[in-house]
Amino acid sequence: MLYLLAIVFLIGIFWTYGSDLSEVSNSQDQIQENGVLILRDVEHISNILHGDENTLLLAILYSKKCANSYDLILKLEEVAETLAWTFGTDETDHNLKDLDLSMPRVAKLDGDGVDPSWVETLGVVSYPTLLFFRQVYQETIVMDYLGLQNNSIDIVETIMHYWYRFTLGPVFPASSVHDVKEYIEKNGSKMFKNVSPAWNPDYTMEEKEIISWLMSGDEDELDPYMLLLQCQIGEKEQSLYQSFFDLAKSIATQRNVMLFSVTEDCTGIGNDSDVTVFSVSPETFQIRTPAQKKPHKMPLHQFAVQMTSPSVLFYDRFSIGPIAFPVYRRLHAVLFVQLSKENATSRDAIRSFRQVCQQHRMKENAILTDMVCLVVPETETRILTYFGVDIWTPLDTKLSQGKATPLLLPVLLITDQRKEETFMRYYLEAGDLLEDITSSVPVFFQDFWMGRLLPDIKSSTKAVHINHQGVETITGLSFKKVVMERKSNHTLLYLFAPTCGHCKRFSILWNELAQLIRAVEWNIDVLRMDVTENEILDSRISIDPAFVPAVYYFPLGSKEKATAFEFEDKFGDTVGRLHNPFDIIDWMFSIGNFDEEKMFEKVEKLKGFNKKKEGYTCSADGNTYDTNEE
């Protein structure tokens, strides 16, 4: 009797849970739980992909100790259900069905149960982490998951994006530009998505919400999508075709750009191997004009970065650098804002800023005046300091005086480094910007492009003076008048820093030099400038010493050619080790246009100054200076 009861009990257990068990265990190699494959190890991943290059696997590496892992696994179960429904209905694009492509799969792998060294090679630093896996030529390829994961819909969209790009692309074939237009109008909603801001891992949820609110805009403010088309009608430019394919692989995860090869009719692109970019409306998926053609001398990667960057980037030190600050991007517009919802001024400024940046981006030949537009929050104090935006000192001053805090942000800054070794800055302060946001921002940009703005110059507020020896101290603001516009004299300029030990020693020699030049009445101005409080910004010259002290000579007449005194002794020390003012005079005479005989007539008239064949000596003060002295 007990035996029969036990059999009935076991049958009941199987009847109750049998269907679930059949769902969990479909086969030895394809164990699932609510549609999500359960992975055992890295070899198991290869077995699932089984050499099929059209299979895409999204896997979560998780830890049972992590609550976030459990939440993300639940989302993946919803993803698996959505994918099964999508690929089991007529919702899938019929063009893709004809290719008999495999449905993307989702899986989970307990990171605590695998070799830690393998996890480390994947670049996994925390759980949960999502990764894509594919097989190419029997090799398992790992790709980072770069999409949103707020909900299952976000994840499905990212999976489908990867699936479209890597199973059909990364370069999509077309016979003509017309065929590309038809394809995009039909399939653009599946292929494109606007770039989402990258999140600094240090941001709190509240800060992320504020950033999303600040950067949000209406549909008509969305960036256009980008199409890069290459003409491939011959076989002579295979290396250029390969470069285009390599580019496509490197940016295939960018959801705002697609690459096509046009193989028959290249009307609208150019000649064989030429590359042209078209913009696409995010609302209608219509291709816009004008197109931007890649300049022949511009590297393909540079062209792609410049043309596919979002019109406005929210600054994030971890991800934006390679896009915003490569060496070839020399022009930046930076809007500094408050990270707050308390008032809408920063948000309104961003919207006006975005509109201007988008308009510039869509201009014909905009590639030749590439400008990076950045929004930087007040929390990035290092960036504010680097660009000379000081909001803390005025705030501290007002608070210490018991006065109302002034509105110091938003501030708009344009930096121009297009001329080698120059760094020009142009500011639109908060008061001027907020006077009329809708007009102040576009007018500021227009004035910049028309050359009507004056650059901001770092300049000391100390009074300009000439010391007893005849050395004139100048500032950033007085440089133009004292040096560039004083054409009747030769000019010697000494750059120093107050904390520099060599500078303190060299200042004595510089005073002796000035005293000598004043005594013999040569038409040479002897100047000095503190580089910690001043800078030289003049588009006609380039002065940016790597070390101080540094000495420069400006000739009589035009001052547009400054020559640096290059000196190094046997110990590797530079100008700061000089001990004879005549070393500087000899150098100046060797490069300048001087009537030496006439100048030394004045020297000979002074008691104690004599010109010798082997050099010059000065004994007026009882000391001897010999230019031939080692």
Side-chain angles (χ1 to χ4, degrees), residues 207-334:
E207 288 174 327
K208 291 178 182 178
E209 290 176 5
I210 293 173
I211 295 169
S212 296
W213 176 77
L214 286 172
M215 299 297 291
S216 62
D218 298 332
E219 287 194 3
D220 61 351
E221 297 178 50
L222 294 175
D223 267 350
Y225 303 125
M226 291 295 174
L227 292 173
L228 269 72
L229 278 58
Q230 184 180 52
C231 179
Q232 297 186 4
I233 56 175
E235 296 183 358
K236 295 181 179 179
E237 305 291 353
Q238 291 298 320
S239 62
L240 297 178
Y241 298 167
Q242 183 62 44
S243 297
F244 192 71
F245 182 79
D246 293 340
L247 171 69
K249 287 195 298 183
S250 69
I251 65 173
T253 55
Q254 270 188 242
R255 305 187 67 176
N256 64 332
V257 59
M258 287 183 67
L259 284 78
F260 281 82
S261 60
V262 176
T263 56
E264 295 181 15
D265 181 4
C266 288
T267 303
I269 303 176
N271 300 318
D272 188 29
S273 77
D274 284 353
V275 176
T276 297
V277 65
F278 293 86
S279 60
V280 178
S281 166
E283 297 91 17
T284 65
F285 297 99
Q286 298 282 328
I287 292 182
R288 298 169 173 172
T289 55
Q292 303 273 351
K293 292 191 175 184
K294 183 185 84 67
H296 286 290
K297 293 185 179 180
M298 180 177 289
L300 178 60
H301 181 77
Q302 176 181 341
F303 178 73
V305 169
Q306 292 182 193
M307 295 308 303
T308 63
S309 299
S311 296
V312 175
L313 294 162
F314 188 87
Y315 178 78
D316 175 75
R317 73 187 75 161
F318 295 97
S319 59
I320 294 302
I323 301 173
F325 298 106
V327 292
Y328 51 80
R329 307 199 83 170
R330 312 287 291 175
L331 193 60
H332 296 79
V334 187

Side-chain angles (χ1 to χ4, degrees), residues 415-585:
T415 66
D416 187 355
Q417 300 178 74
R418 288 176 294 177
K419 186 172 181 180
E420 200 67 27
E421 297 184 9
T422 60
F423 191 87
M424 314 296 282
R425 296 188 302 270
Y426 306 86
Y427 286 96
L428 180 62
E429 300 292 348
D432 296 326
L433 190 155
L434 297 175
E435 188 173 339
D436 185 356
I437 291 178
T438 57
S439 64
S440 62
V441 175
V443 167
F444 179 71
F445 273 87
Q446 185 179 15
D447 287 345
F448 170 76
W449 292 118
M450 297 298 292
R452 293 194 288 255
L453 297 180
L454 293 177
D456 180 82
I457 299 176
K458 180 181 177 182
S459 184
S460 171
T461 57
K462 296 176 182 177
V464 177
H465 67 280
I466 301 177
N467 67 13
H468 296 300
Q469 288 78 24
V471 178
E472 183 175 357
T473 300
I474 65 171
T475 65
L477 287 175
S478 66
F479 174 83
K480 180 180 178 182
K481 181 178 180 181
V482 176
V483 177
M484 303 304 292
E485 297 179 359
R486 194 181 288 175
K487 298 183 179 182
S488 58
N489 287 358
H490 300 269
T491 304
L492 285 170
L493 175 63
Y494 156 47
L495 303 178
F496 72 98
T499 56
C500 163
H502 281 304
C503 295
K504 293 176 181 179
R505 179 183 181 280
F506 185 77
S507 291
I508 299 173
L509 181 145
W510 196 251
N511 284 333
E512 291 176 353
L513 173 65
Q515 190 173 12
L516 169 62
I517 289 174
R518 172 184 275 186
V520 296
E521 299 179 348
W522 288 342
N523 60 333
I524 301 172
D525 293 327
V526 182
L527 315 174
R528 71 173 196 161
M529 176 188 285
D530 179 355
V531 295
T532 65
E533 296 187 356
N534 303 277
E535 63 184 347
I536 298 172
L537 290 181
D538 194 301
S539 59
R540 294 168 290 181
I541 59 169
S542 176
I543 294 181
D544 186 21
F547 306 98
V548 288
V551 173
Y552 289 84
Y553 166 72
F554 298 79
L556 186 75
S558 174
K559 304 291 186 178
E560 296 182 12
K561 184 180 179 182
T563 305
F565 185 16
E566 297 180 356
F567 167 81
E568 184 174 326
D569 67 9
K570 59 185 178 182
F571 301 107
D573 291 318
T574 57
V575 175
R577 293 283 295 191
L578 289 175
H579 58 274
N580 191 335
F582 278 104
D583 288 337
I584 298 174
I585 291 177

Side-chain angles (χ1 to χ4, degrees), residues 104-137:
R105 311 293 298 275
V106 291
K108 58 183 179 180
L109 176 63
D110 185 353
D112 297 328
V114 297
D115 184 354
S117 62
W118 177 74
V119 175
E120 187 176 338
T121 61
L122 298 177
V124 176
V125 295
S126 63
Y127 294 127
T129 294
L130 290 174
L131 295 172
F132 280 111
F133 293 88
R134 288 180 64 230
Q135 276 207 338
V136 179
Y137 303 119

